[in-house]
Coordinates of all heavy atoms in Angstrom, one line a residue:
R229 N 105.1 81.6 137.3 CA 105.3 81.6 135.8 C 106.4 80.8 135.3 O 106.6 80.6 134.0 CB 105.5 83.1 135.4 CG 104.4 84.0 135.7 CD 104.6 85.5 135.1 NE 104.6 85.4 133.7 CZ 104.8 86.5 132.8 NH1 105.0 87.7 133.5 NH2 104.9 86.5 131.6
F230 N 107.1 80.2 136.2 CA 108.2 79.3 135.8 C 107.9 77.8 136.1 O 107.2 77.4 136.9 CB 109.5 79.7 136.6 CG 109.9 81.1 136.3 CD1 109.6 82.1 137.2 CD2 110.6 81.4 135.1 CE1 110.1 83.4 137.0 CE2 111.0 82.7 134.8 CZ 110.7 83.7 135.8
R231 N 108.6 76.9 135.3 CA 108.4 75.4 135.6 C 109.0 75.1 136.9 O 110.0 75.6 137.3 CB 109.0 74.7 134.5 CG 108.4 74.9 133.1 CD 109.2 74.1 132.0 NE 108.7 74.5 130.7 CZ 108.1 73.6 129.8 NH1 107.9 72.4 130.2 NH2 107.8 74.1 128.7
S232 N 108.4 74.1 137.6 CA 108.7 73.8 139.1 C 109.9 72.9 138.9 O 110.2 72.2 138.0 CB 107.6 73.2 139.7 OG 106.3 74.0 139.8
P233 N 110.7 72.8 140.1 CA 111.7 71.9 140.2 C 111.1 70.4 139.9 O 110.1 70.1 140.5 CB 112.3 72.0 141.7 CG 111.8 73.4 142.0 CD 110.5 73.7 141.3
G234 N 111.9 69.6 139.3 CA 111.4 68.3 139.0 C 110.7 68.1 137.6 O 110.7 67.0 137.0
E235 N 110.3 69.3 137.0 CA 109.6 69.3 135.7 C 110.9 69.3 134.7 O 111.9 69.8 135.1 CB 108.8 70.6 135.6 CG 107.4 70.5 136.2 CD 106.7 71.6 135.8 OE1 106.0 71.5 134.7 OE2 106.5 72.6 136.6
R236 N 110.5 68.9 133.5 CA 111.5 69.2 132.5 C 111.7 70.6 132.2 O 110.7 71.4 132.2 CB 111.0 68.5 131.2 CG 112.0 68.3 130.1 CD 111.5 67.7 128.8 NE 112.5 67.4 127.8 CZ 112.2 67.0 126.6 NH1 111.0 66.6 126.2 NH2 113.1 66.8 125.7
Y237 N 112.9 71.1 132.0 CA 113.4 72.3 131.8 C 112.8 73.2 133.0 O 112.3 74.3 132.9 CB 112.7 73.0 130.5 CG 113.0 72.1 129.3 CD1 111.9 71.7 128.5 CD2 114.2 71.9 128.9 CE1 112.2 70.9 127.3 CE2 114.6 71.2 127.7 CZ 113.6 70.7 127.0 OH 113.9 69.9 125.9
A238 N 113.1 72.7 134.2 CA 112.8 73.4 135.5 C 113.4 74.9 135.4 O 114.7 75.0 135.0 CB 113.2 72.6 136.6
G239 N 112.7 75.8 135.8 CA 113.2 77.2 135.9 C 112.8 78.0 134.7 O 113.0 79.1 134.7
H240 N 112.5 77.3 133.6 CA 112.2 78.0 132.3 C 110.7 78.3 132.4 O 109.9 78.0 133.4 CB 112.3 77.0 131.2 CG 113.7 76.8 130.8 ND1 114.4 77.2 129.6 CD2 114.8 76.2 131.5 CE1 115.7 76.8 129.7 NE2 115.9 76.3 130.7
W241 N 110.3 79.2 131.5 CA 108.9 79.7 131.5 C 107.9 78.6 131.4 O 108.1 77.6 130.7 CB 108.7 80.6 130.3 CG 109.4 81.9 130.4 CD1 110.5 82.3 129.5 CD2 109.2 83.0 131.2 NE1 110.9 83.5 129.9 CE2 110.2 84.0 130.9 CE3 108.2 83.3 132.2 CZ2 110.1 85.2 131.5 CZ3 108.2 84.6 132.7 CH2 109.2 85.5 132.5
A242 N 106.8 78.5 132.1 CA 105.8 77.5 132.1 C 105.0 77.8 130.8 O 104.9 78.9 130.4 CB 104.9 77.7 133.3
V243 N 104.3 76.8 130.4 CA 103.5 76.9 129.2 C 102.4 78.0 129.3 O 101.6 78.0 130.4 CB 102.8 75.6 128.7 CG1 102.0 75.7 127.6 CG2 103.9 74.5 128.6
G244 N 102.3 78.9 128.4 CA 101.4 80.0 128.5 C 101.8 81.1 129.4 O 101.0 82.2 129.5
Q245 N 102.9 81.1 130.0 CA 103.4 82.2 130.9 C 104.5 82.9 130.3 O 105.2 83.8 130.9 CB 103.8 81.6 132.2 CG 102.8 80.9 132.9 CD 101.6 82.0 133.5 OE1 101.9 83.1 133.7 NE2 100.3 81.5 133.3
E246 N 105.0 82.6 129.1 CA 106.1 83.3 128.5 C 105.7 84.8 128.3 O 104.7 85.1 128.1 CB 106.4 82.7 127.1 CG 106.7 81.2 127.2 CD 105.4 80.3 127.0 OE1 104.4 80.9 127.1 OE2 105.5 79.2 126.7
P247 N 106.8 85.7 128.3 CA 106.5 87.0 128.0 C 106.0 87.2 126.6 O 106.5 86.5 125.6 CB 107.9 87.7 128.1 CG 108.8 86.7 128.9 CD 108.2 85.4 128.6
R248 N 105.0 87.9 126.4 CA 104.3 88.0 125.1 C 104.5 89.4 124.5 O 104.6 90.4 125.2 CB 102.8 87.9 125.4 CG 102.3 86.6 125.8 CD 100.8 86.7 126.1 NE 100.5 87.6 127.3 CZ 99.2 87.8 127.6 NH1 98.2 87.4 126.9 NH2 99.0 88.7 128.6
P249 N 104.8 89.4 123.2 CA 105.0 90.6 122.5 C 103.6 91.4 122.6 O 102.6 90.7 122.4 CB 105.3 90.2 121.1 CG 104.8 88.9 120.8 CD 104.9 88.1 122.3
W250 N 103.6 92.6 122.8 CA 102.4 93.3 122.9 C 102.5 94.5 122.1 O 103.5 95.2 121.8 CB 102.0 93.7 124.4 CG 103.1 94.4 125.1 CD1 104.0 93.7 125.9 CD2 103.4 95.7 125.3 NE1 104.8 94.5 126.5 CE2 104.5 95.8 126.2 CE3 102.9 96.9 124.7 CZ2 105.1 96.9 126.5 CZ3 103.5 98.1 125.1 CH2 104.7 98.2 125.9
H251 N 101.3 95.0 121.5 CA 101.1 96.0 120.5 C 100.1 97.0 120.9 O 98.9 96.5 121.0 CB 101.0 95.5 119.1 CG 101.9 94.5 118.7 ND1 103.1 94.7 118.2 CD2 101.8 93.2 118.7 CE1 103.8 93.6 117.9 NE2 103.0 92.7 118.2
L252 N 100.4 98.2 121.3 CA 99.4 99.1 121.8 C 98.9 99.9 120.6 O 99.6 100.2 119.6 CB 100.1 100.1 122.7 CG 100.6 99.5 124.1 CD1 101.4 100.6 124.7 CD2 99.5 99.1 124.8
P253 N 97.6 100.1 120.6 CA 97.0 100.8 119.5 C 97.6 102.2 119.3 O 98.0 102.8 120.3 CB 95.5 101.0 120.0 CG 95.3 99.9 120.9 CD 96.6 99.6 121.6
E254 N 97.6 102.7 118.0 CA 98.3 103.9 117.8 C 97.8 105.1 118.5 O 98.5 105.9 119.0 CB 98.3 104.2 116.3 CG 99.2 105.4 115.8 CD 99.1 105.6 114.3 OE1 98.4 104.9 113.6 OE2 99.6 106.6 113.9
D255 N 96.4 105.1 118.7 CA 95.9 106.3 119.5 C 96.4 106.5 120.9 O 96.5 107.5 121.4 CB 94.3 106.2 119.4 CG 93.8 105.1 120.1 OD1 94.4 104.0 120.0 OD2 92.8 105.2 120.7
H256 N 96.7 105.2 121.5 CA 97.2 105.3 122.9 C 98.7 106.0 122.9 O 98.9 106.9 123.7 CB 97.4 103.9 123.5 CG 96.1 103.3 123.8 ND1 95.6 103.2 125.2 CD2 95.1 102.8 123.0 CE1 94.5 102.7 125.2 NE2 94.1 102.3 123.9
V257 N 99.4 105.7 122.0 CA 100.7 106.3 121.9 C 100.7 107.7 121.5 O 101.3 108.6 122.1 CB 101.6 105.6 120.8 CG1 103.0 106.2 120.7 CG2 101.8 104.0 121.1
L258 N 99.7 108.1 120.6 CA 99.6 109.5 120.2 C 99.0 110.3 121.3 O 99.4 111.5 121.4 CB 98.6 109.5 118.9 CG 99.2 109.0 117.7 CD1 98.1 109.1 116.5 CD2 100.4 109.7 117.3
R259 N 98.2 109.7 122.2 CA 97.7 110.5 123.4 C 98.8 110.6 124.4 O 98.5 111.3 125.3 CB 96.5 109.8 123.9 CG 95.2 110.0 123.0 CD 94.0 109.7 123.8 NE 93.9 108.6 124.6 CZ 93.4 107.4 124.3 NH1 92.9 107.3 123.0 NH2 93.3 106.4 125.1
G260 N 99.9 110.1 124.3 CA 101.0 110.1 125.2 C 100.8 109.3 126.5 O 101.5 109.4 127.4
E261 N 99.9 108.4 126.5 CA 99.6 107.6 127.7 C 100.8 106.7 128.0 O 101.1 106.5 129.2 CB 98.3 106.6 127.5 CG 97.0 107.5 127.4 CD 95.9 106.6 127.2 OE1 96.0 105.3 127.3 OE2 94.8 107.1 126.9
V262 N 101.4 106.1 127.0 CA 102.5 105.2 127.2 C 103.8 106.0 127.7 O 104.4 105.5 128.6 CB 102.9 104.4 125.9 CG1 104.1 103.6 126.2 CG2 101.7 103.6 125.6
R263 N 104.0 107.2 127.2 CA 105.1 108.0 127.6 C 104.8 108.4 129.1 O 105.8 108.4 129.8 CB 105.3 109.3 126.7 CG 105.8 108.8 125.3 CD 106.0 110.1 124.6 NE 106.5 109.9 123.2 CZ 106.9 110.8 122.4 NH1 106.7 112.0 122.7 NH2 107.3 110.5 121.1
E264 N 103.7 108.8 129.4 CA 103.4 109.1 130.8 C 103.6 107.9 131.7 O 104.1 108.1 132.9 CB 102.0 109.7 130.8 CG 101.8 110.9 130.2 CD 100.3 111.5 130.3 OE1 99.6 110.8 131.0 OE2 100.0 112.4 129.6
L265 N 103.1 106.8 131.2 CA 103.3 105.5 132.1 C 104.8 105.2 132.4 O 105.2 104.9 133.4 CB 102.5 104.4 131.5 CG 102.7 103.0 132.2 CD1 102.0 103.0 133.5 CD2 102.4 101.9 131.2

């Protein structure tokens, strides 16, 4: 998921591999699935 040595900004996130913000549907939270996980 990181840029290889020799690439510009080596060691940084590769394109498309950055951590993405994610949003879980409300019903998943209400069912307690995320808390259990």
